[in-house]
């Protein structure tokens, strides 16, 4: 006899403002659905998981589950296709489980990825009492009920009110019977079907963190919660050589000399690449693009930055700002500043307001002061996933 989790993930997420269905949006590099599956699959109480998905989403689903560790992915059953309402999607999932050994079912919204193991324990342990247990939280706001005219009709006693969440746990036969009996009654909450049939539903303590991602603000808050700010710095030097220009921040600047380098010798983009690689602990630019490798000869250094940003994104990170200081007697960059900032914005995807670009001479001191070369220093701030 087993406890199975049914995850409903067939909605379109119209209020969420994401480019696609919200359950496939990424939070700190991982899809919402993979996070929800993970959270349920790590519970030893759950023996299998069945997802209900939209008919158009099979490719998205197959890709998302790759993010779940292999040992946990084994708990997943072949997904079933949902309906146009949440209730129809739940029904499709329950019907697919009918005739299996499912004794208890936990019905969960894919859009709630933050449930804890302890919450799963609480709902599962509370099922035997009445056959139905749901997470519930006391209200902090006072709730008002409106009349038909849209004015306030009454104020229910707050002490008796609860905000409810998923996973809602039921004896399988009880909830299947309730759904079959109540196909015509529209609801967004499975427990209400049991209530309508005169059954008893037990509340257990819900979790403030267990929010249902619904609006763009929910996504913004969740992203902040899952990531932290780190800073990183990069530094690069090149000596001048024969030539008629230097490339800085991807912009070709006419000069009486060039730089000695294997690539285009762009100190700013090299320092920037190193800062990003450093922030995610994956070595430095020399390891990723060895000067000995002919394919990088005269390569535009934007390639290096693009590679570093790709690795950063794969780790669920994002660049927040970058602040550049160039140390050089010559060339003066004043005339090119705007073009350099535009170029940095294009290469990094950061807004121009978050890009700093300063240049200084070294007052004729040292090698840079003697005009033998130039130096760039870049400080970056990034958001990276917190450790789980
Ligand atoms: N759901 C579903 N099938 C539907 C509608 C909703 O499986 N036809 C699922 C959603 O994927 C979500 C959960 O039910 O995990 C809760 O619903 P909701 O937050 O309303 O999600 P959406 O319906 O996708 O969002 P919206 O109402 O903003 O379009
Ligand atoms: Mg909906």
């Amino acid at each position: 006899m087993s406890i199975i989790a049914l995850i409903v993930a067939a909605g379109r997420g119209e209020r969420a403002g994401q480019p696609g269905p919200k359950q496939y949006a990424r939070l700190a590099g991982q899809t919402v659905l993979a996070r929800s599956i993970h959270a349920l699959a790590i519970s030893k109480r759950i023996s299998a998981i069945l997802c209900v998905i939209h008919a158009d989403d099979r490719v998205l689903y197959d890709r998302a589950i790759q993010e779940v560790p292999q040992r946990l992915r084994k708990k997943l059953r072949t997904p079933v296709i949902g309906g146009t309402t949440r209730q129809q999607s739940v029904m499709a999932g329950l019907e697919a489980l009918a005739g299996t050994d499912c004794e208890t079912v936990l019905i969960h919204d894919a859009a709630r990825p933050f449930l804890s193991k302890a919450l799963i324990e609480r709902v599962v342990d509370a099922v035997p009492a009445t056959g139905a247990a749901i997470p519930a939280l006391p209200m902090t706001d006072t709730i008002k009920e409106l009349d038909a005219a849209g004015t306030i009709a009454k104020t229910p006693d707050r002490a008796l009110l609860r905000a409810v969440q998923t996973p809602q746990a039921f004896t399988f036969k009880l909830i299947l019977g309730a759904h079959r009996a109540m196909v015509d009654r529209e609801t967004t909450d499975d427990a209400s079907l049991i209530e309508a049939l005169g059954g008893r539903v037990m509340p257990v303590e819900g979790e403030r963190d267990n929010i249902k991602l619904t609006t763009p603000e929910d996504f913004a808050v969740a992203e902040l919660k899952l990531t932290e700010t780190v800073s990183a710095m990069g530094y690069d030097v090149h000596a001048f050589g024969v030539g008629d220009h230097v490339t800085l921040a991807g912009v070709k600047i006419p000069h009486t000399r060039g730089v000695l380098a294997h690539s285009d010798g762009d100190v700013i983009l090299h320092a920037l690449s190193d800062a990003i690689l450093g922030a995610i602990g994956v070595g430095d630019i020399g390891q990723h693009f060895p000067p000995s490798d002919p394919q990088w000869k005269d390569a535009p250094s934007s390639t290096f930055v693009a590679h570093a940003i790709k690795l950063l994104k794969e780790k669920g990170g994002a660049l927040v700002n970058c602040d550049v200081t160039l140390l050089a007697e010559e060339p003066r960059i004043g005339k090119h500043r705007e073009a350099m900032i535009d170029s940095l914005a294009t290469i990094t995807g950061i807004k121009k307001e978050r890009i700093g670009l300063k240049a200084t001479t070294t007052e004729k001191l040292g090698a840079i002061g003697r005009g033998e070369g130039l130096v760039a220093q870049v400080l970056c701030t990034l958001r990276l996933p917190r450790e789980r």
Side-chain angles (χ1 to χ4, degrees):
M1 287 300 201
S2 58
I3 303 177
I4 296 183
L6 184 66
I7 301 181
V8 279
R12 297 294 77 192
E14 267 150 25
R15 291 167 289 174
Q18 300 298 311
K22 62 184 178 182
Q23 56 276 32
Y24 300 105
R26 282 169 198 282
L27 283 176
Q30 198 184 10
T31 58
V32 171
L33 179 62
R35 289 178 179 277
S36 294
I37 293 172
H38 194 281
L40 285 156
I42 49 167
S43 168
K44 293 206 169 60
R45 308 293 289 273
I46 309 280
S47 57
I49 297 174
L50 175 65
C51 292
V52 182
I53 65 172
H54 192 278
D56 296 345
D57 293 348
R58 188 58 204 249
V59 173
L60 291 172
Y61 173 84
D62 287 339
R63 207 181 296 152
I65 63 170
Q66 296 306 312
E67 299 167 9
V68 179
Q70 174 84 40
R71 75 194 147 83
L72 298 177
R73 217 185 303 150
K74 287 194 195 126
K75 289 193 179 181
L76 286 168
R77 301 248 172 109
T78 309
V80 298
I81 303 301
T84 49
T85 63
R86 181 187 182 281
Q87 193 173 350
Q88 287 169 12
S89 296
V90 172
M91 184 77 174
L94 293 175
E95 291 294 355
L97 292 174
T100 69
D101 69 341
C102 178
E103 185 193 28
T104 298
V105 63
L106 267 66
I107 302 174
H108 186 64
D109 293 332
R112 290 186 193 266
F114 300 121
L115 72 158
S116 74
K117 255 189 197 169
L119 179 60
I120 296 169
E121 297 286 318
R122 284 201 293 280
V123 286
V124 168
D125 289 341
V127 170
T130 67
I134 67 174
L137 282 172
M139 302 302 300
T140 49
D141 292 326
T142 295
I143 307 294
K144 303 275 184 186
E145 194 179 313
L146 304 185
D147 57 24
T151 51
I152 304 289
K154 56 182 173 188
T155 307
D157 179 2
R158 189 168 69 187
L160 295 176
L161 294 175
R162 295 292 180 272
V164 307
Q165 310 177 327
T166 70
Q168 301 193 344
F170 307 96
T171 304
F172 181 70
K173 280 203 192 100
L174 180 71
I175 193 68
L176 177 66
H179 265 272
R180 281 178 176 169
M182 307 285 278
V183 245
D184 298 328
R185 185 196 165 111
E186 268 199 37
T187 176
T188 54
D189 161 77
D190 305 291
S192 60
L193 302 178
I194 310 268
E195 297 152 30
L197 291 170
R200 286 173 62 222
V201 178
M202 295 301 294
V204 304
E205 199 187 341
E207 290 175 336
R208 299 257 168 229
D209 268 0
N210 182 25
I211 63 160
K212 179 161 73 70
L213 296 163
T214 305
T215 64
E217 294 73 34
D218 293 336
F219 276 82
V221 169
E223 182 78 27
L224 272 183
K225 204 175 85 166
L226 291 168
T227 59
E228 59 195 345
T229 303
V230 299
S231 46
M233 95 93 132
Y235 183 96
D236 195 38
V237 192
H238 277 292
F240 284 127
V242 180
D244 61 1
H245 72 275
V246 294
T247 304
L248 291 172
V251 176
K252 217 168 151 174
I253 296 174
H255 188 45
T256 51
R257 321 198 58 191
V259 291
L260 297 172
H262 189 69
S263 64
D264 64 6
D266 190 327
V267 280
I268 293 178
L269 296 189
H270 292 183
L272 175 59
S273 307
D274 258 355
I276 300 168
L277 295 172
I280 52 176
V282 294
D284 65 16
I285 193 170
Q287 286 166 260
H288 290 265
F289 304 97
S292 55
D293 186 337
Q295 69 166 308
W296 309 124
K297 183 159 165 44
D298 300 325
S301 298
S302 54
T303 312
F304 307 155
V305 179
H307 174 74
I309 290 178
K310 182 171 160 271
L311 296 179
L312 172 67
K313 284 196 175 147
E314 281 168 11
K315 290 202 182 252
L319 205 51
V320 175
N321 89 319
C322 81
D323 194 14
V324 180
T325 305
L326 180 74
L327 284 77
E329 293 296 324
E330 293 284 339
R332 298 295 162 114
I333 61 160
K335 278 200 306 232
H336 307 283
R337 264 190 97 242
E338 215 162 306
M340 290 165 73
I341 290 177
D342 283 345
S343 168
L344 283 170
T346 306
I347 293 167
T348 58
I350 307 178
K351 286 198 192 113
K352 283 202 272 183
E353 305 83 78
R354 293 271 168 83
I355 295 173
L357 176 60
K358 292 151 293 179
T360 178
T361 69
T362 59
E363 298 292 338
K364 312 259 183 237
L365 295 172
I368 301 300
R370 290 191 297 275
E372 292 171 16
L374 67 186
V375 166
Q377 240 177 327
V378 174
L379 188 69
C380 288
T381 308
L382 311 92
R383 297 288 301 182
L384 284 176
R386 286 177 201 277
E387 295 299 318
R388 263 209 220 233

